Amino acid sequence: MSVLQVALDAATLVVAVDPGKVLNRVWVSDGSGLLADPVSVPVSRDGVAGVEQVVAAHRGNGRGLVFAVEATGSLHRAWALELERRYPGAVRLFAPSETKAARVQLGSGRFKTDDRDCAALTYLARQGAGRVLVDEVEVEALRAVVRHRRGLVADRKVAQQRLHDQLNNLVPGLSAPAGHGRSLAVERPSGQAVLACAAAFAGRAPSVRSLLARSPGRLTKADAQYWVQRWRGCLAPPADAEHRAQRLAKDLARFRMLCADIAALDGEIAQLLAGTDGQILTSLPGVAVVRAAAFAAHSLPIERFPDAEHLYSATGLAPALYQSATLHRRGRISRQGLAEHRDALMGIAWGLSVFSPSFAQRDREYRARGMRPIQARVALARHACRLTYRMLKTQQPFDEQAYCRGRLSRGR
């Protein structure tokens, strides 16, 4: 189990590590206090060796050892894995939100320093909190690929916008017809062919044959004739069309490379997801490999969350809650946690609302109450979170009929 709830013995040696890009801040203490002055050691083998020497000097025979490491993005991974290799089972990970909450309890919530973070990590480790690193090694590779793909998708979106802008300057009005009834999709064969011809002919209208020859996929003759006809009705290219066409060709090559990289990552994600418990999420209607991997990468190991409500709260979609005596206030969604975790759950909720009859019915009911589409999707995300949590725990595939029967039996 990843969540530890057993307080440490006073004799246990706690090494708190606040990771940085170049230097890591390290505290070494036991139940009586600091055993050595806090030090900043380099993120290298020499730094690990220095910590190893300090631990050897103070550990003694039979003394327990715990490394409390703050899990700050990717800064902690190299050190955490190396410490786990040298001291198996001794590394505990803490989320930055946990460290901040501990600083608040220690009276320094608004004052963040490396030493205050180390004090908070030591405080949490003494209470028995933290996650075992061993439980997260198996999903680390999946998480890295998912994050890399997310970045490439963001780059592709920017590249698409740039290509539309360049094409509109080179051939005004071609990419977005009146009313946007048939706008140019640059990722499809028709869009690729139009962009390639615009770069090859410096904005001049091509023939149907040229458009078909430059299509990377299936492009019908009728579709090609439509774009050529529209092209001939556009205004003449600008005076610097040759230079613009050269820049467009280079950006088109970069866009194609991005698409190829994303396709390669999709295959890698499928292989990595198959080796984790998140593979079961692909049995959900409207949830394929990419969406399942995006949610599983930030939810596994599922033992980190005692119940589905904790998982839902970790995504940041749970409404902010204030309770004091007789006061009970619920605000907007908290937005705590990772944005990619939240987006992954919202994507699953959207897929279920389209392809699952039970969730589609729920979506209609929410909208009939006056909810806006985004509000209805957030409400659906809570049910989707409960469903995915149970599937990750039981490893049972989704059964639409059983889910519908369970919902009706509970009166939902």
Side-chain angles (χ1 to χ4, degrees), residues 44 49 119 142 163 180 184 197 247 282 295 309 344 374 395 408:
S44 62
L142 177 63
L163 289 173
H180 294 262
L184 183 68
C197 287
R247 294 193 293 268
T282 57
F295 186 71
E309 294 303 318
I374 189 64
Q395 288 297 294
L408 294 176

Side-chain angles (χ1 to χ4, degrees), residues 37-97:
D37 293 334
V39 294
S40 295
V41 297
V43 184
S44 62
R45 294 180 180 179
D46 293 339
V48 177
V51 172
E52 195 173 25
Q53 292 177 0
V54 175
V55 169
H58 295 92
R59 186 177 184 183
N61 295 328
R63 195 174 194 181
L65 175 64
V66 169
F67 288 92
V69 183
E70 187 178 37
T72 53
S74 60
L75 298 179
H76 71 285
R77 291 171 187 160
W79 254 53
L81 291 174
E82 181 62 21
L83 291 174
E84 181 66 24
R85 186 183 67 82
R86 301 190 182 198
Y87 303 94
V91 177
R92 304 288 184 269
L93 299 181
F94 299 87
S97 58

Side-chain angles (χ1 to χ4, degrees), residues 163 166-168 170-171 174 184 191-206 210-211 214 231 237 240-253 256:
L163 289 173
Q166 290 175 298
L167 182 62
N168 187 61
L170 195 60
V171 189
L174 177 64
L184 183 68
Q192 293 286 295
V194 168
L195 290 169
C197 287
F201 301 109
R204 298 185 301 273
S210 297
L211 203 62
R214 285 172 173 80
W231 204 322
D240 59 343
E242 293 292 341
H243 297 287
R244 291 179 181 271
Q246 293 175 7
R247 294 193 293 268
L248 176 61
K250 293 178 181 179
D251 283 345
L252 180 58
R256 289 174 174 173

